[in-house]
Amino acid sequence: MKQRVLNVVGARPNFMKIAPLMVEYRKHPAHFDPVLVHTGQHYDDNMSQLFFDQLGLPKPDVYLGVGSGSHAEQTAKVMVELEKLMLKDRPDLVVVVGDVNSTMAGALVAAKLCVPLAHVEAGLRSHDRTMPEEVNRVVTDALSDYLFTTSEDARVNLLREGIDDGKIHFVGNVMIDTLLKLKAESLKSEIRQRLGLTGKYGFVTLHRPSNVDVRETFAEILSALDVIQKELVLAFPVHPRTKARLEEFGFWEEVSRWPNLKLIEPVGYLDSLCLMTGATVVLTDSGGVQEETTVLGTPCLTIRVNTERPVTVTEGTNTIVGASHARIVEEARKTIHGHGKRGRVPKYWDGRAAERIIEVLRQRK
Ligand code: UD1
Ligand code: UDP
């Protein structure tokens, strides 16, 4: 049976996850007829188009153009548009990746239309329901027929929620498929020269609402970055949510005067990998960056109180430091003095996760 597979993406971290699958479908034209749908959750060129170009993604077959909004608005808009599309298109399978609002919206529409659903990156749990992504993960997994996991702990989480073991497939990490494919290419990036990063430097990304939407928390994190930038140059591509908060809270002017903190626009995937590879330390609250630094062997300090990706801590280079000034500075100093955490690459983070997923999907009756 040739399967028409509707692949739903919407936000920056979705693009590197779907890219290796799009390549694999094309290797099996007798089995798959893939359709790529971009919801438009992220729409700035440097949050979307740039990634399509650098990851070699095909132009989306359908662009829903939903844009920004509150959680309910954004989720609802994706659902309304996707439902129209699926009623017309009648796919045999819907594939969603990650944990953003577009992921959960795609899952809900598929489930209500009784279209089989696959979730790539299933079973991650921070066990923190105040995190919007955690709600998206729980809902998406509850509705999925195929749950593709990146680590063994994910299976345990899913079984605890009553999900049938037969639906769970430990396949590895598609994000790392993309990293391994493009690592050599990323090292040709001239971003370091452009930013004048000739010696040691750190790389910073922040965008979690719990960090940047709360004035006091954001101020505390920034005060730690202020201390660190006096000892280590920091490159900080600023996510649009974070930029808006820096301005709204009146922090932008002061922070942009700190001499060794380089506030820049969000960078493309290749520049991001290049910067992470050469960094002495990465300070982040990103999900994907915790995984990428583990594979690159770069010490990562996660500015959160928990992680849904514990394998990056138990096996990789990740340390959870919370949002306290003292701990962030203390751990950053360790890395500056050459005592950053080392680790190993988790099982199946080997560049072949998409291949394993396609193997499972090919067997569908
Ligand atoms: C979203 C995801 C988050 C993911 C992150 C990756 C949800 C609930 N959140 O968070 O899980 O880690 O993407 O980057 O799905 N904006 C722009 N231009 C854009 C996109 C957004 O200016 O292209 C601004 C808008 O003001 C918007 C805000 O950023 O309101 C937040 O965007 P949104 O997609 O709602 O959430 P993110 O914080 O990006
Ligand atoms: N990334 C990027 N440019 C940046 C910041 C991050 O290309 O300026 C990449 C990063 O390397 C990783 C992905 O974006 O591949 C992670 O996405 P993000 O942090 O937005 O979302 P999360 O993983 O937290 O959901």
Side-chain angles (χ1 to χ4, degrees), residues 3-21:
Q3 308 177 44
R4 189 156 172 87
V5 185
L6 200 98
N7 299 274
V8 181
V9 292
R12 177 168 71 185
N14 294 161
F15 307 136
M16 41 301 268
K17 293 171 192 171
I18 208 68
L21 281 168

Side-chain angles (χ1 to χ4, degrees), residues 48-64:
S48 177
Q49 186 58 48
L50 187 52
F51 294 86
F52 276 72
D53 299 340
Q54 295 194 344
L55 301 170
L57 274 165
K59 187 172 178 291
D61 298 286
V62 185
Y63 185 74
L64 303 178

Side-chain angles (χ1 to χ4, degrees), residues 12-13 16 51 175 207-208 237 266-269 272 276 286-289 292:
R12 177 168 71 185
M16 41 301 268
F51 294 86
M175 196 140 192
H207 69 274
R208 295 260 94 85
V267 294
Y269 181 72
S272 176
M276 280 190 279
S286 159
V289 169
E292 290 168 336

Side-chain angles (χ1 to χ4, degrees), residues 60-300:
D61 298 286
V62 185
Y63 185 74
L64 303 178
V66 302
S68 304
S70 71
H71 285 279
E73 281 166 350
Q74 190 174 57
T75 308
K77 275 194 208 161
V78 177
M79 288 182 68
V80 169
E81 296 306 318
L82 267 182
E83 186 183 56
K84 286 187 217 160
L85 177 69
M86 284 193 219
L87 284 171
K88 229 175 32 196
D89 203 78
R90 283 286 163 192
D92 302 302
L93 177 74
V94 169
V95 173
V96 295
V97 298
D99 56 14
V100 303
N101 284 346
S102 300
T103 310
M104 182 183 70
L108 280 163
V109 175
K112 290 290 179 80
L113 294 179
C114 301
V115 178
L117 175 68
H119 183 205
V120 175
E121 206 182 83
L124 298 183
R125 294 291 181 271
S126 64
H127 306 290
D128 173 4
R129 294 261 173 117
T130 66
M131 199 183 176
E133 294 80 6
E134 183 77 352
V135 177
N136 294 342
R137 294 179 198 119
V138 170
V139 172
T140 303
D141 286 338
L143 301 176
S144 293
D145 303 288
Y146 298 86
L147 296 104
F148 295 112
T149 62
T150 53
S151 56
E152 296 283 18
D153 54 278
R155 181 185 300 273
V156 179
N157 293 333
L158 293 169
L159 294 177
R160 199 181 297 134
E161 289 172 20
I163 287 166
D164 178 2
D165 198 21
K167 294 181 180 175
I168 306 169
H169 306 271
F170 175 33
V171 291
N173 194 327
V174 282
M175 196 140 192
I176 302 310
D177 290 7
T178 296
L179 181 152
L180 295 175
K181 183 174 171 193
L182 292 177
K183 181 163 180 215
E185 177 75 18
S186 78
L187 297 180
K188 296 186 201 151
S189 155
E190 289 176 355
I191 183 81
R192 285 183 268 191
Q193 291 88 310
R194 260 188 285 143
L195 296 177
L197 301 171
T198 47
K200 283 188 172 187
Y201 68 89
F203 179 69
V204 181
T205 84
L206 289 172
H207 69 274
R208 295 260 94 85
S210 57
N211 282 335
V212 303
D213 287 0
V214 185
R215 196 176 201 282
E216 297 69 36
T217 310
F218 198 10
E220 177 149 359
I221 295 168
L222 289 171
S223 75
L225 295 183
D226 185 19
V227 173
I228 298 166
Q229 62 94 29
K230 291 178 176 131
E231 299 167 36
L232 183 74
V233 183
L234 298 177
F236 182 3
V238 184
H239 187 283
R241 170 188 291 277
T242 310
K243 172 109 190 268
R245 294 303 166 262
L246 281 168
E247 286 169 347
E248 183 187 322
F249 296 149
F251 297 154
W252 180 265
E253 229 179 276
E254 190 198 336
V255 170
S256 56
R257 278 201 299 267
W258 296 347
N260 287 329
L261 180 72
K262 295 178 185 290
L263 294 177
I264 53 176
E265 288 288 310
V267 294
Y269 181 72
L270 297 172
D271 287 348
S272 176
L273 268 198
C274 176
L275 285 169
M276 280 190 279
T277 304
T280 295
V281 60
V282 171
L283 297 119
T284 193
D285 58 14
S286 159
V289 169
Q290 294 173 60
E291 298 181 340
E292 290 168 336
T293 45
T294 269
V295 173
L296 296 171
T298 304
C300 176

Side-chain angles (χ1 to χ4, degrees), residues 25-44:
Y25 292 131
R26 271 184 249 127
K27 291 186 187 162
H28 305 279
H31 289 91
F32 298 108
D33 174 16
V35 179
L36 184 60
V37 181
H38 185 336
T39 66
Q41 175 171 347
H42 284 175
Y43 42 85
D44 289 345

